[in-house]
Amino acid sequence: LIWRTTDGGSSTWADIFGGGTSILGASGNCDSVLGYYVSSGTSITISVATVGDEPIFETVSYVVLRNVNSSQPIDVTPTSVINEDGDNFAPDPPAITTVTADCLIIVLFAQDDADNTGMTPPSGYTKIHSYTDSISDPTHYLAYKYLTSATTENPSAFGNWTSSSRLDRMHTITLALRPA
């Protein structure tokens, strides 16, 4: 699973990566692309499609997952919630209704020009990863939860939210991955 966020770059997978499969693009002044590569071996090469005209402030997160359905890993089409500039509410990932039992639910968060790596995941979720390089780079935060049955999952808002004085745009995504 690969997620890339920039200050003002492309939100189209093919503009950024060569190969792989796009899941979702979210745009605004915090532009992200979410996608995946499937590997049947012990390593994988990820190629960048374009370089040079993209902004220098970016965050890229890679997560390696096993036991995910390799022919149809995405259970249902995810959506993104975009909070506009000036919105002081904690990020609240959108609900998702799975059609397959035993899905892995992943919530993703991005915010431009702010460090919110100290947040806590939604209730019942376990943190995978959080990262920002500096106040000028986007923050990424990922967390997961297993669902034992096909149902609607509506994650709570992230905790320990610190609103930034810049109040830059942020977005959250809820993703359901099918088991192998």
Side-chain angles (χ1 to χ4, degrees), residues 90-152:
D92 189 359
I96 196 165
T97 302
T98 62
V99 295
T100 306
D102 299 319
C103 280
L104 176 67
I105 305 298
I106 299 179
V107 292
L108 303 97
F109 163 81
Q111 183 179 16
D112 186 29
D113 295 335
D115 182 355
N116 268 301
T117 56
M119 290 188 311
T120 55
S123 179
Y125 282 75
T126 301
K127 179 181 174 180
I128 297 172
H129 167 74
S130 65
Y131 177 77
T132 194
D133 186 45
S134 72
I135 195 68
S136 297
D137 294 324
T139 292
H140 271 183
Y141 196 109
L142 293 80
Y144 75 93
K145 174 182 181 177
Y146 287 101
L147 288 183
T148 57
S149 60
T151 188
T152 297

